[in-house]
Amino acid sequence: GGESVMHVEFEKLINLFIDFVSTRIAVYTSGIQYSEGIERAIKADKANIVVSIDSGNKNLYKRIKNVDKFDDVVNNLKKYCDAQKYTTENRQVAMKYILIPYVNSSVEYIKEFLELAKSINCKAVRFDIENNWYKNNMHNIDAIKYIFKFMKYFDIKSEEMNFQHFFFQAPEYLIKNYKELYEKTN
């Protein structure tokens, strides 16, 4: 748990991995701290990274994360995106949007997030639901309907904008178990 890049041995460990292991790794990070090791792993095609930014603007980011680091995260993401080698199957850098109901749950906020991703040449986006809200509402049909409109917008808009995109486990579970409702969502 926690921010992997903050580990005192992170750069050493990721460089050892790049040099001596043949498989790819996934790094989940806040993106606040830049990592030369992550950039090197991206360039070597040894890593996929997911940066949970959860917003497309500075004020909302600060409200969610309680730190004023939006510009740092965007700059670091841009560097990582510039380092990657794109193929249709492999988009190494992904921006993640964790939907927090009644905080960043609006079509406008999701649109800002997707436009930010496009502006920094990020090719992959991910969508998740805040864990506590999900656990407390996973069987509440009204709450699910509320969430589905944002999931559907994210899905359709990501496709239109040519992002590689997918839902994490919680939204996938909801779609699987309420498929007919999701398909009817506008």
Side-chain angles (χ1 to χ4, degrees), residues 17-144:
F17 179 84
I18 295 164
D19 293 337
F20 297 107
V21 179
S22 61
T23 59
R24 300 173 66 79
I25 60 168
V27 178
Y28 293 83
T29 178
S30 68
I32 291 172
Q33 184 172 322
Y34 174 75
S35 165
E36 289 180 8
I38 288 176
E39 184 174 336
R40 183 170 172 245
I42 292 167
K43 286 179 178 177
D45 202 21
K46 293 274 191 126
N48 289 341
I49 70 159
V50 178
V51 178
S52 295
I53 189 167
D54 310 329
S55 126
N57 75 64
K58 191 174 189 161
N59 291 333
L60 181 60
Y61 178 89
K62 187 175 181 181
R63 181 174 166 208
I64 293 168
K65 304 290 188 176
N66 293 316
V67 293
D68 190 12
K69 296 291 184 177
F70 181 79
D71 293 335
D72 294 338
V73 174
V74 171
N75 289 333
N76 293 338
L77 268 165
K78 176 83 172 105
K79 289 177 190 175
Y80 297 147
C81 289
D82 289 345
Q84 66 186 326
K85 302 169 189 166
Y86 298 117
T87 67
T88 53
E89 300 83 36
N90 181 31
R91 312 286 174 85
Q92 297 164 288
V93 180
M95 289 173 52
K96 185 175 176 186
Y97 194 90
I98 300 173
L99 187 82
I100 306 165
Y102 311 106
V103 176
N104 68 348
S105 56
S106 79
V107 167
E108 292 79 22
Y109 286 148
I110 294 170
K111 182 179 179 188
E112 280 181 336
F113 168 82
L114 294 171
E115 288 173 352
L116 173 64
K118 196 66 141 180
S119 76
I120 63 170
N121 206 24
C122 188
K123 304 291 186 186
V125 291
R126 310 292 184 244
F127 185 94
D128 205 354
I129 302 168
E130 194 278 323
N131 193 46
N132 287 329
W133 186 93
Y134 166 74
K135 285 179 182 177
N136 292 329
N137 290 282
M138 62 190 284
H139 300 295
N140 176 334
I141 200 69
D142 290 329
I144 292 166

Side-chain angles (χ1 to χ4, degrees), residues 127 129 134 138 144 147-148 150-152 154-155 165-183 185:
F127 185 94
I129 302 168
Y134 166 74
M138 62 190 284
I144 292 166
I147 290 300
F148 272 179
F150 304 115
M151 288 172 56
K152 191 72 161 212
F154 183 89
D155 194 15
H165 64 287
F166 72 83
F167 295 123
F168 273 81
Q169 187 175 353
E172 278 295 321
Y173 171 86
L174 293 178
I175 291 172
K176 178 182 172 195
N177 288 287
Y178 301 95
K179 186 176 183 174
E180 189 174 303
L181 180 62
Y182 183 73
E183 290 172 355
T185 300

